[in-house]
Amino acid sequence: MPVYQATVSAPVNIACIKYWGKRDTKLILPTNSSLSVTLDQDHLRSTTTSRADASFKQDQLWLNGKVDEIKEGGRLATCISEMKRLRREFEEKNPNEPKVSRVLVPAIMHAHLLQISSFHVHISSVNNFPTAAGLASSAAGFAALVSSLAALYNLPATPSELSLISRQGSGSACRSLFGGFVAWQMGEKADGSDSYAVEVAPREHWPDIHALICVVSDTKKGTSSTSGMQRTVETSPLLQHRIKHVVPERMKAISKAILEKDFDTFARITMQDSNQFHAVALDTDPPIFYMNDVSRSIIALITEYNRASVESGGKIKAAYTYDAGPNAVIYAPKENIKEIVELIYSYFPQTEPFKDPFGLFGAAGPKGKVVDGFNAAVAKPFEAGAVKGLIHTRVGDGPRKLGAEEALLNAEGLPTVLA
Amino acid sequence: MPVYQATVSAPVNIACIKYWGKRDTKLILPTNSSLSVTLDQDHLRSTTTSRADASFKQDQLWLNGKVDEIKEGGRLATCISEMKRLRREFEEKNPNEPKVSRVLVPAIMHAHLLQISSFHVHISSVNNFPTAAGLASSAAGFAALVSSLAALYNLPATPSELSLISRQGSGSACRSLFGGFVAWQMGEKADGSDSYAVEVAPREHWPDIHALICVVSDTKKGTSSTSGMQRTVETSPLLQHRIKHVVPERMKAISKAILEKDFDTFARITMQDSNQFHAVALDTDPPIFYMNDVSRSIIALITEYNRASVESGGKIKAAYTYDAGPNAVIYAPKENIKEIVELIYSYFPQTEPFKDPFGLFGAAGPKGKVVDGFNAAVAKPFEAGAVKGLIHTRVGDGPRKLGAEEALLNAEGLPTVLA
């Protein structure tokens, strides 16, 4: 029996212009466009194997080896059924074409190949980073899910077309269908057919953009972004102004900055938009807070780091941005990352050694150090563990098809990784 | 020699609709109207004695016994010279009238009474609460300064007229010229002559409004409100929407709620407007944060306290509001204050005994306790000292003229209180 299976990995993305608010909660259509940087899968990724088989009794999905229920009418069910629909349409249009990836299918075609859209699927998905890190794992997860089904089904769909479906799993997942710098165009149509992701520039255009993720401890359970953003839509008077007047301008300006590799403008808009997203969260009733005192201190450090540079005739060196949680993501040109790590170390002593994927530090690792002109009094140093980890990565590529040796389902169609 | 002197105390006020942004920084003309509750001087007050004497060599001012320099062109100088101008106009219009308070002046009029506008003044001002408590001491201070000079000069000015001058000392000081519920009408004129305070309702209208001030520790030095608000005016895209579209509606709605003693509406608007003020501070570039994790936790507690009440068919029981600092002011009908103190005690253990001016608790004092239906998991208890003090007060009256026995200047015209 042939095995109809594909394995794909997909990246995390972190927005510079934030998505916050839906105009349609079922189709996941946003109230404003957004723009993100795709991070390198060498460091952070979600990997998914999908298999279709006539013997499967039902669609099943495992996340990190644990069953994740596919609820009827839920987001997982929507993505899977939409991908089956695309496969069905493909089968109907191409009755004589091979229907699954040549790599995975024996040269001899089987009659039931025509019907794999009607098979149940088994899907096994693994994140290589802790879900608890609050790193928008759902974006990478749904992008990998949709991409692995597209590969399994040998669909000719473009990333933008697939993004229409991953969007219905998790809005920001549509942006993980591309590498580099990616815009999610909000669209206008009620059916969502014009609300998809497009590439602003590939990673190769500006590979110098690196990212440092500061994983911040928080004892408080935050408001989920799904419920939080709808409360903002319903209650924040300021959100409407942001949607109508602020975001459209910023989308144009930051796209231009990316095309011109103008880090100064890119950084200013990124920080302003992070702050405005948290401002409209605070303008919500009751208010929503995602940043804590540690997050605020990281903002103070980066603000001072930039001030010291600009006032001595230099440029903006780094940009912070915060999603719906206390973690900071700091974007900076590669040449500044070493200084930034040392700056973070001086205020947030680390308990774990720094994984140094780009070899910036010797065996001794980073030390706490501030740069010339930096006013060390802008923030008080925290106890060790307030920032519980630093991850250094960079702008990355889009979903990757992986070989059979990386499959996450075993011969029986069960996950190779167990929780 | 007669002594030309007057002593007045003036109250603190805490805004429900926040003042944030000036359209004229010299005249202190705001970008939006605001509204506040005047707090009771029995608990929090600034007391000021002003004396005019031909022998004084210069205008001098002592704050809590310490010289406070009257800088040329500064706010103190402006208020003093404006009050002298009013006195001069009064002298010119009333050449035959007694020129200083009858209480303080001997029956025999002195020729040079006509000239006391040309005398230098000595002014001694004392706050009965620590400046470090971050309780808008400048509002009470400038209101007391202007009121004591008005009494010294025996001016027939109304509180609204005096508010035009105290406004130029500290914007929010104009609202401390009245007791009860006070609006600062932003005005439209370039000279500021229509930007003054008016009484929305006196304290007697709704004396049931009590206030609990939670003094929150903060190691971080915040951005001064003077520089902070101008940075917001210059950089926050959201502020313009707040000014034009949100505040005018809220001013009307909260004034109506006060006249109707509708605490539910009063509380909702108060909390929404506090949050929106902090939202535009966060939308500023670089962002401004005044609330910290303790402030956020108090918001979470009050939100949950109200939710538990409303969901069991009751009403909103309390409203939080935060000025340009981490301290919470909680407004509530008197009957709820006991519960609220117990709630605060359960999450923020106190190191100092609760001063119980209204005798809510017995000798044992308050204990930590949550009310029925309250979800105790909404916040984690903090270490003792995170909230370093609780002050219970209520809506209060406007400036009070005090007797000579309360004067803060001695026979030599020097402060009775030394720093």
Coordinates of all heavy atoms in Angstrom, one line a residue, chain A residues 377-410:
Chain A
A377 N 20.6 54.7 35.2 CA 19.6 54.8 36.2 C 18.1 54.8 35.6 O 17.2 54.9 36.3 CB 19.7 56.2 36.9
V378 N 18.0 54.5 34.3 CA 16.7 54.5 33.7 C 15.8 53.3 34.2 O 14.6 53.4 34.2 CB 16.7 54.4 32.2 CG1 17.3 55.6 31.5 CG2 17.4 53.1 31.7
A379 N 16.5 52.3 34.8 CA 15.7 51.2 35.3 C 16.5 50.5 36.4 O 17.7 50.6 36.4 CB 15.3 50.2 34.2
K380 N 15.8 49.9 37.3 CA 16.5 49.1 38.3 C 16.7 47.7 37.9 O 15.8 47.1 37.2 CB 15.8 49.2 39.6 CG 14.5 48.4 39.7 CD 14.0 48.2 41.1 CE 12.7 47.5 41.2 NZ 12.6 46.2 40.5
P381 N 17.9 47.1 38.2 CA 18.1 45.7 37.8 C 17.1 44.8 38.5 O 16.7 45.1 39.7 CB 19.5 45.4 38.3 CG 20.1 46.8 38.4 CD 19.0 47.7 38.8
F382 N 16.6 43.8 37.9 CA 15.7 42.8 38.4 C 16.5 41.6 39.0 O 17.6 41.5 38.7 CB 14.7 42.4 37.4 CG 13.6 43.3 37.2 CD1 13.7 44.5 36.5 CD2 12.3 43.0 37.6 CE1 12.6 45.4 36.3 CE2 11.2 43.8 37.5 CZ 11.4 45.0 36.8
E383 N 15.7 40.8 39.8 CA 16.3 39.6 40.3 C 16.5 38.6 39.1 O 15.8 38.7 38.1 CB 15.4 39.0 41.4 CG 14.1 38.4 40.9 CD 13.0 39.5 40.5 OE1 13.3 40.7 40.5 OE2 11.9 39.0 40.2
A384 N 17.4 37.7 39.3 CA 17.6 36.6 38.2 C 16.3 35.9 38.0 O 15.5 35.6 38.9 CB 18.7 35.7 38.6
G385 N 16.0 35.7 36.7 CA 14.8 34.9 36.4 C 13.6 35.8 35.9 O 12.6 35.3 35.5
A386 N 13.7 37.1 36.1 CA 12.6 38.0 35.7 C 12.5 37.9 34.1 O 11.4 37.8 33.6 CB 12.8 39.4 36.1
V387 N 13.6 37.8 33.5 CA 13.6 37.4 32.1 C 14.2 36.0 32.1 O 15.4 35.8 32.4 CB 14.5 38.4 31.2 CG1 14.7 37.8 29.8 CG2 13.8 39.7 31.1
K388 N 13.4 35.0 31.8 CA 13.8 33.6 32.1 C 14.5 33.0 30.9 O 14.9 31.8 31.0 CB 12.7 32.8 32.6 CG 11.5 32.6 31.6 CD 10.3 31.9 32.3 CE 9.1 31.9 31.4 NZ 7.9 31.3 32.0
G389 N 14.6 33.7 29.8 CA 15.3 33.2 28.6 C 15.5 34.2 27.5 O 14.7 35.1 27.4
L390 N 16.6 34.0 26.7 CA 16.8 34.9 25.6 C 17.0 33.9 24.4 O 17.8 33.0 24.4 CB 18.1 35.7 25.8 CG 18.1 36.8 26.8 CD1 19.5 37.4 26.9 CD2 17.0 37.9 26.4
I391 N 16.3 34.2 23.3 CA 16.4 33.4 22.1 C 16.9 34.4 21.0 O 16.2 35.4 20.7 CB 15.1 32.8 21.7 CG1 14.6 31.9 22.8 CG2 15.2 32.0 20.4 CD1 13.1 31.4 22.7
H392 N 18.0 34.1 20.4 CA 18.5 34.9 19.3 C 18.1 34.2 18.0 O 18.5 33.1 17.7 CB 20.0 35.1 19.4 CG 20.6 35.9 18.3 ND1 22.0 36.1 18.2 CD2 20.1 36.6 17.3 CE1 22.2 36.9 17.1 NE2 21.1 37.2 16.6
T393 N 17.4 35.0 17.1 CA 17.1 34.4 15.8 C 17.1 35.6 14.8 O 17.7 36.6 15.1 CB 15.8 33.6 15.8 OG1 15.5 33.1 14.5 CG2 14.6 34.5 16.3
R394 N 16.5 35.4 13.6 CA 16.6 36.4 12.5 C 15.4 36.2 11.6 O 14.7 35.2 11.7 CB 17.9 36.3 11.8 CG 18.0 34.9 11.1 CD 19.4 34.8 10.3 NE 19.5 33.4 10.0 CZ 20.6 32.8 9.5 NH1 21.7 33.6 9.2 NH2 20.7 31.6 9.2
V395 N 15.3 37.1 10.6 CA 14.3 36.9 9.6 C 14.5 35.6 8.9 O 15.7 35.2 8.6 CB 14.3 38.1 8.6 CG1 15.7 38.3 8.0 CG2 13.2 38.0 7.6
G396 N 13.5 34.9 8.6 CA 13.6 33.5 8.0 C 12.7 33.3 6.8 O 12.1 34.2 6.3
D397 N 12.8 32.1 6.3 CA 12.0 31.7 5.1 C 10.6 31.2 5.4 O 10.3 31.0 6.6 CB 12.9 30.7 4.3 CG 13.2 29.5 5.1 OD1 13.0 29.5 6.4 OD2 13.7 28.5 4.6
G398 N 9.9 30.9 4.4 CA 8.5 30.4 4.5 C 8.5 28.8 4.8 O 9.6 28.2 4.9
P399 N 7.4 28.2 4.8 CA 7.2 26.8 5.1 C 8.2 26.0 4.2 O 8.4 26.2 3.0 CB 5.8 26.5 4.7 CG 5.1 27.8 5.0 CD 6.1 28.9 4.6
R400 N 8.7 24.9 4.8 CA 9.7 24.0 4.2 C 9.1 22.6 4.1 O 8.7 22.1 5.1 CB 11.0 23.9 5.0 CG 11.7 25.2 5.2 CD 12.9 25.0 6.2 NE 13.6 26.2 6.5 CZ 14.5 26.4 7.4 NH1 14.9 25.3 8.2 NH2 15.1 27.5 7.6
K401 N 9.2 22.0 2.9 CA 8.8 20.6 2.8 C 10.0 19.8 3.3 O 11.1 20.0 2.9 CB 8.5 20.3 1.3 CG 7.2 20.9 0.8 CD 6.8 20.2 -0.5 CE 5.7 21.0 -1.1 NZ 5.2 20.5 -2.4
L402 N 9.7 18.8 4.1 CA 10.8 18.0 4.7 C 10.7 16.6 4.2 O 9.6 16.2 3.7 CB 10.6 18.0 6.2 CG 10.6 19.4 6.9 CD1 10.5 19.2 8.4 CD2 11.9 20.2 6.6
G403 N 11.8 15.9 4.3 CA 11.8 14.5 3.8 C 11.1 13.5 4.7 O 10.7 13.8 5.9
A404 N 10.9 12.3 4.2 CA 10.1 11.3 4.9 C 10.8 11.0 6.3 O 10.2 10.5 7.2 CB 10.0 10.0 4.1
E405 N 12.2 11.2 6.3 CA 12.9 10.8 7.5 C 12.5 11.7 8.7 O 12.8 11.4 9.9 CB 14.4 10.9 7.3 CG 15.0 12.2 7.0 CD 14.7 12.8 5.6 OE1 14.0 12.1 4.9 OE2 15.2 13.9 5.4
E406 N 11.8 12.9 8.4 CA 11.4 13.8 9.5 C 10.0 13.6 9.8 O 9.4 14.4 10.6 CB 11.7 15.2 9.1 CG 13.2 15.4 8.7 CD 13.7 16.8 9.0 OE1 13.5 17.3 10.1 OE2 14.4 17.3 8.1
A407 N 9.3 12.6 9.3 CA 7.9 12.4 9.5 C 7.6 12.2 11.0 O 8.4 11.6 11.8 CB 7.4 11.2 8.7
L408 N 6.4 12.7 11.4 CA 6.0 12.6 12.8 C 4.9 11.6 13.1 O 4.3 11.6 14.1 CB 5.6 14.0 13.3 CG 6.7 15.1 13.2 CD1 6.0 16.5 13.5 CD2 7.8 14.8 14.3
L409 N 4.7 10.8 12.0 CA 3.7 9.7 12.2 C 4.5 8.4 11.9 O 5.3 8.3 10.9 CB 2.5 9.8 11.2 CG 1.5 10.9 11.5 CD1 0.6 11.2 10.3 CD2 0.8 10.7 12.8
N410 N 4.2 7.3 12.6 CA 4.9 6.0 12.4 C 4.1 5.2 11.4 O 3.1 5.7 10.8 CB 5.1 5.3 13.7 CG 3.8 5.0 14.4 OD1 2.7 4.9 13.8 ND2 3.9 4.7 15.7

